[in-house]
């Protein structure tokens, strides 16, 4: 199983702060974090796309290209690319370029996004949310599959026999579908035979397990090759030297972010008691010392049989040194424990997407 990280490059939304200074600081720290993740042997690093004042990553391919120049082995993916409000030609060109710079380590994780700011920003109607994603995913796959593209849809101008360049080093360029638990999205990923990443940020992860069955059944009905199917679970969590330190360091920034988003969406405020319950064996948070986190990852692998596990540790305005220590522990302590346990169980499933 591949083990990795993802982040949205959080910055403070405080209007009194200099936005350029804050973004420069966060992105430079982020490059160091990706570099360390590579050095300690993690497999994947993902960067989300957002268009809000509390995130600095509106152009993941650019930041990942900078990281590519300072890393050797780690795979570099979006997490996610908001495909509905982007142009598939440009998405493919950007990640194909990243693939060339990284010597074949780029991936696209395409999704509809959990925020809506990009739709009015780029001139799209939110009522077209589903159709935009479906059509643009179809075009993105057509571009991936053929150098010369002929395509027509309702939401974008047609392409009549045009070439899309540069072509990536990987053939095909890996494209994952990110889902948040909607059965229709899960079934679409299965029917297309594409790898699927499930975001689990609340509740009990075991409740998401039937979605994996739905994914595989949809692939079977569409006569997709079951051997090519891959799944990832993407969660929140943090690793520190002790479980108490991990909980204390992670709770404040994570709660601040969740409460800020919750106020926008009408959710009730979170509490330390809810946080502590969620970091228990059956909750959605993977927080603790290396042994605790590794044990929980292995337990959930038994449930999901997932090929990849991505952990969002850098949430909110966490101190850079805490994030770096968490990455170090994840790569040098957690990952070896997980890999050893899976090997002993005969359940190791190293994925290459």
């Amino acid at each position: 199983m591949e083990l990795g990280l993802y982040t949205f490059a959080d910055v403070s939304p405080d209007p009194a702060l200099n936005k350029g200074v804050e973004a420069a600081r966060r992105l430079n720290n982020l490059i160091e974090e990706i570099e360390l993740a590579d050095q300690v042997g993690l497999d994947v690093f993902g960067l989300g796309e957002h268009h809000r004042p509390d995130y600095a990553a509106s152009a993941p391919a650019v930041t990942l290209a900078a990281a590519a120049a300072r890393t050797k082995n780690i795979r570099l993916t979006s997490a996610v690319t908001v495909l509905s409000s982007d142009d598939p030609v440009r998405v493919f060109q950007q990640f194909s370029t990243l693939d060339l710079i990284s010597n074949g380590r780029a991936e696209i994780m395409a999704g509809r996004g959990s925020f809506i700011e990009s739709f009015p920003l780029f001139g799209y109607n939110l009522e077209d949310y589903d159709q935009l994603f479906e059509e643009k995913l179809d075009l993105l796959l057509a571009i991936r599959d053929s150098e010369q593209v002929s395509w027509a849809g309702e939401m974008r101008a047609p392409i009549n026999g045009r070439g899309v360049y540069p072509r990536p080093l990987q053939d095909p360029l890996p494209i994952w579908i990110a889902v948040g638990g909607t059965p229709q999205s899960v079934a679409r990923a299965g029917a297309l035979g594409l790898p699927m990443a499930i975001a689990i940020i609340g509740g009990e992860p075991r409740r998401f397990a039937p979605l994996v069955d739905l994914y595989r059944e949809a692939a079977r009905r569409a006569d997709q090759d079951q051997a090519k199917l891959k799944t990832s679970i993407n969660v929140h969590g943090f690793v520190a030297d002790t479980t108490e330190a991990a909980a204390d360091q992670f709770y404040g920034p994570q709660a601040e972010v969740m409460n800020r988003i919750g106020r926008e969406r009408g959710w009730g405020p979170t509490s330390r008691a809810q946080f502590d319950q969620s970091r228990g064996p059956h909750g959605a948070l993977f927080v603790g010392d290396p042994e605790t986190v590794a044990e929980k990852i292995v337990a959930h692998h038994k449930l999901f049989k997932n090929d990849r596990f991505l952990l969002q540790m850098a949430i909110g305005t966490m101190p850079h040194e805490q994030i770096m220590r968490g990455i170090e522990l994840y790569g040098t302590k957690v990952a070896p424990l997980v890999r050893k346990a899976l090997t002993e169980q005969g359940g190791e499933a190293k994925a290459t997407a």
Side-chain angles (χ1 to χ4, degrees):
M1 181 173 63
E2 290 184 318
L3 297 168
L5 293 159
Y6 72 105
T7 186
F8 301 152
D10 301 57
V11 291
S12 173
D14 185 346
L17 296 174
N18 184 299
K19 293 292 189 294
V21 171
E22 285 296 294
R25 176 194 57 78
R26 182 67 194 102
L27 291 177
N28 279 285
N29 285 345
L30 176 59
I31 299 300
E32 292 183 3
E33 292 160 16
I34 300 173
E35 187 175 20
L36 178 59
D38 183 54
Q39 292 170 351
V40 299
L42 293 173
D43 300 300
V44 187
F45 200 103
L47 182 58
E49 173 197 340
H50 293 288
H51 303 269
R52 297 164 48 95
D54 41 357
Y55 301 114
S58 63
V62 178
T63 305
L64 293 173
R70 290 172 54 173
T71 56
K72 295 180 179 179
N73 299 306
I74 197 164
R75 299 191 66 77
L76 303 167
T77 181
S78 57
V80 302
T81 294
V82 186
L83 191 60
S84 302
S85 57
D86 210 334
D87 186 275
V89 174
R90 293 299 285 156
V91 169
F92 185 86
Q93 289 173 329
Q94 290 160 5
F95 280 87
S96 181
T97 301
L98 172 62
D99 198 54
L100 299 173
I101 292 171
S102 66
N103 197 31
R105 292 185 281 129
E107 298 181 3
I108 299 170
M109 189 187 298
R112 294 183 295 178
S114 58
F115 295 98
I116 63 171
E117 287 83 1
S118 63
F119 288 84
L121 183 64
F122 296 112
Y124 292 101
N125 191 333
L126 194 58
E127 294 180 358
D128 298 327
Y129 186 83
D130 291 320
Q131 187 176 358
L132 281 166
F133 183 78
E134 185 173 349
E135 283 200 7
K136 290 189 176 187
L137 178 60
D138 184 61
L139 175 54
L140 181 64
L141 294 174
I143 295 168
R144 182 181 74 161
D145 294 342
S146 178
E147 179 179 333
Q148 298 291 322
V149 180
S150 293
W151 179 92
E154 297 180 10
M155 310 303 293
R156 186 200 185 281
I159 300 176
N160 300 309
R162 308 297 299 181
V164 178
Y165 307 102
R167 304 306 295 180
L169 193 61
Q170 297 179 89
D171 184 17
L173 181 69
I175 297 175
W176 289 65
I177 300 298
V179 302
T182 304
Q184 294 88 340
S185 298
V186 171
R188 177 195 290 123
L192 292 172
L194 296 172
M196 178 184 71
I198 306 174
I200 304 174
I201 61 171
E204 294 187 7
R206 65 180 177 83
R207 295 182 178 178
F208 290 80
L211 294 177
V212 177
D213 297 331
L214 173 61
Y215 167 70
R216 295 192 175 280
E217 175 61 18
R220 187 192 66 78
R221 289 173 178 251
D223 292 323
Q224 297 290 349
D225 185 354
Q226 295 278 328
K228 294 182 178 180
L229 302 180
K230 293 181 174 65
T231 57
S232 174
I233 59 172
N234 300 357
V235 304
H236 288 182
F238 193 71
V239 188
D241 291 280
T242 68
T243 293
E244 182 180 7
D248 289 344
Q249 291 171 17
F250 192 64
Y251 170 67
Q254 198 258 2
E256 194 279 328
V257 169
M258 297 306 289
N259 283 333
R260 184 171 68 242
I261 296 171
R263 287 191 295 271
E264 298 174 6
R265 301 183 179 183
W267 303 341
T270 189
S271 68
R272 180 61 189 254
Q274 291 171 324
F275 173 86
D276 288 337
Q277 182 178 22
S278 189
R279 65 183 176 88
H282 305 294
L285 294 178
F286 288 65
V287 176
D289 60 25
E291 292 76 16
T292 298
V293 174
E295 183 179 346
K296 193 166 183 177
I297 292 172
V298 172
H300 282 80
H301 181 266
K302 292 179 182 178
L303 186 64
F304 286 95
K305 299 296 186 290
N306 46 305
D307 304 279
R308 178 177 286 184
F309 175 89
L310 296 186
L311 186 65
Q312 186 178 4
M313 287 204 301
I315 298 178
T317 54
M318 297 191 70
H320 179 52
E321 61 272 15
Q322 290 181 3
I323 297 171
M324 292 290 277
R325 179 59 177 161
I327 293 171
E328 180 184 1
L329 291 170
Y330 186 28
T332 63
K333 302 292 186 181
V334 176
L337 289 170
V338 171
R339 290 165 181 155
K340 182 175 185 292
L342 295 185
T343 300
E344 290 174 350
Q345 294 172 8
E348 186 176 43
K350 181 79 170 180
T352 58

